[in-house]
Amino acid sequence: MPLLPLLRRVLARPLLWWAIAAVWLIRDVYGNVLAPDRPDARALILAGNRWLHDPQAIYSEAAHALATTGLVPVFGLIRPPAAAMLGAPFSLLPASWQVPAWTITDAAAALIGLLLVQRFVARAPLENAVFWAVALYCPPLYAEVDAGQIGGWLLLLACAGLVVIRTRPGLSGALVGAAAALKFYPALMVLGARTRPRPFLIAAIAAGVLITAVACIPLGFSGAWKYVTAVLIPSLRAPNPDCAQTSVSTLFGRSIGGDPYPIINPDGGIRILQSPIHLGVLASILTALTLLSVIGAAVYAARASGWNPAYGMALGLGLGGILPGEMNPYQYLPLLPLVLMVLVVAIRNRRWAIVIGLAVGLLAWLRQPCLLPFPNIWTIGALIMFATCVAAARSLRTEP
């Protein structure tokens, strides 16, 4: 039998992809069980404890670090007050249970969110198997659990809103509003609400404002205003020279802007690299043009799909994995539902060019940014996947 048909037969077997998914699941569980510490989880739980007992101190470390260094703080909360409120129940647990409980529930929330998308979009056994093989491989999902961030909760709320948008736009809006209260980028999911915008928008605004207002009650107006002026706005402008930061701005800043960046050598040492090209103004212009192009491409794709609401919402969520000015590995997680949705539909329609494009982007995430000679290979991979998902827009016209 010729090699190519044999390869196609092997790759079309769901058992192969379930075996790959099992390998990645073992890796995920083993690696995260052995993780020695999760400072992000501790910071969120500490913020939750302060939300209950000392709300004026919630943002003290972050505000001090931003004021004294001008850099994104390593420790301290920069998320909205609703994130501190979410951490409050975990702060009531015994100290040794707090971080494990947060990590397990965040991971479970992420998996439930992905399960909702899988049941919504996948039909055939091969589609289900490939869905989970790719989801469990996804390095940002691993990094999310390893760091103990809030991305799992956001994924659950956003994915739940995505799958009910056609039947219950009000509930969908409430879920998206709740997600946006924890972190702002899920608000971009409004891109998929064109068919029934009024109930979606009313519920989203009501839920977002209500949750934010409740979370701000312990801080009072002065504390909430201090968060905006001393933490939120400065953090949006603050640079972060860490090699794990791989945003669009650092892509051009490091490649043609002359910005130095560290990488980790194979022997464990740290080396500082710098491009010989120093065109800072051009780097800034290309950053702005790229971000505007990504937003324009998302609107174009939503329209080309016939305003498919679930696809449009996934596009809006995916923008949260590209637009921010600082991108840790776990912050690419918002792209995952969009990639999985388009991948499943491409397999169903035998659009192998789309499958290959997504595979190339996913392989760019195979190694952690700091272990690569150029950390922004992650950014390039994310842009490749987003562009591939945009190119698949017309095939989403007749899909859920």
Side-chain angles (χ1 to χ4, degrees):
M1 180 180 293
L3 181 60
L4 188 57
L6 176 62
L7 181 62
R8 287 177 177 173
R9 288 186 61 183
V10 171
L11 293 177
R13 293 183 179 275
L15 184 60
L16 169 67
W17 295 101
W18 282 122
I20 293 172
V23 170
W24 290 122
L25 178 61
I26 293 170
R27 185 279 312 254
D28 295 344
V29 173
Y30 180 78
N32 279 296
V33 165
L34 295 181
D37 192 17
R38 291 181 171 85
D40 291 346
R42 286 193 293 107
L44 281 161
I45 294 169
L46 176 60
N49 180 269
R50 290 175 173 175
W51 188 82
L52 292 172
H53 305 293
D54 187 14
Q56 298 304 314
I58 292 175
Y59 297 104
S60 56
E61 288 93 348
H64 177 73
L66 286 163
T68 55
T69 68
L71 302 175
V72 175
V74 176
F75 187 80
L77 187 69
I78 61 174
R79 307 286 176 245
M85 184 172 66
L86 180 63
F90 295 88
S91 71
L92 301 176
L93 297 172
S96 61
W97 295 8
Q98 292 174 358
V99 172
W102 174 273
T103 304
I104 291 171
T105 53
D106 181 65
L111 292 176
I112 293 171
L114 293 175
L115 178 63
L116 292 174
V117 176
Q118 178 249 315
R119 292 176 64 88
F120 178 72
V121 72
R123 300 172 187 169
L126 178 62
E127 295 168 7
N128 288 314
V130 173
F131 182 101
W132 285 110
V134 173
L136 294 173
Y137 153 77
C138 184
L141 180 60
Y142 180 93
E144 162 64 30
V145 179
D146 185 60
Q149 271 286 334
I150 62 173
W153 299 98
L154 290 166
L155 206 62
L156 174 60
L157 293 168
C159 291
L162 183 153
V163 301
V164 301
I165 178 63
R166 283 188 185 274
T167 56
R168 298 182 179 179
L171 175 60
S172 176
L175 291 166
V176 170
L182 291 172
K183 206 170 181 181
F184 301 124
Y185 68 78
L188 297 168
M189 294 176 72
V190 70
L191 184 63
R194 185 178 184 273
T195 53
R196 300 179 69 182
R198 186 169 181 177
F200 179 92
L201 287 174
I202 291 173
I205 293 172
V209 170
L210 177 62
I211 293 172
T212 301
V214 171
C216 287
I217 288 174
L219 283 73
F221 179 79
S222 61
W225 183 248
K226 182 179 179 181
Y227 162 69
V228 172
T229 57
V231 177
L232 176 59
I233 295 176
S235 69
L236 295 176
R237 300 195 302 258
N240 192 329
D242 190 346
C243 55
Q245 299 292 328
T246 56
S247 63
V248 172
S249 61
T250 57
L251 169 64
F252 292 109
R254 291 166 176 171
S255 59
I256 63 172
D259 295 343
Y261 58 92
I263 63 168
I264 299 177
N265 292 325
D267 60 3
I270 296 177
R271 183 162 47 126
I272 304 297
L273 300 180
Q274 187 175 25
S275 168
I277 304 173
H278 295 123
L279 301 174
V281 174
L282 179 60
S284 298
I285 293 173
L286 290 176
T287 296
L289 290 175
T290 301
L291 295 177
L292 289 173
S293 298
V294 166
I295 295 171
V299 176
Y300 160 80
R303 181 179 179 182
S305 72
W307 297 107
N308 182 322
Y311 174 65
M313 292 181 73
L315 281 167
L317 182 66
L319 286 173
I322 294 179
L323 296 183
E326 48 97 13
M327 295 292 299
N328 285 292
Y330 57 81
Q331 288 175 288
Y332 287 97
L333 189 57
L335 277 168
L336 184 57
L338 174 65
V339 168
L340 292 172
M341 180 183 297
V342 171
L343 177 62
V344 166
V345 173
I347 292 173
R348 182 179 307 149
N349 296 330
R350 299 180 180 273
R351 297 194 62 187
W352 305 122
I354 298 296
V355 174
I356 292 171
L358 294 176
V360 170
L362 286 165
L363 287 174
W365 288 350
L366 187 59
R367 301 193 71 194
Q368 292 298 307
C370 294
L371 300 178
L372 295 168
F374 185 59
N376 290 89
I377 290 174
W378 271 56
T379 314
I380 296 170
L383 291 172
I384 289 172
M385 283 185 281
F386 193 83
T388 304
C389 291
V390 167
R394 293 190 181 278
S395 64
L396 272 294
R397 280 179 173 269
T398 58
E399 296 296 335

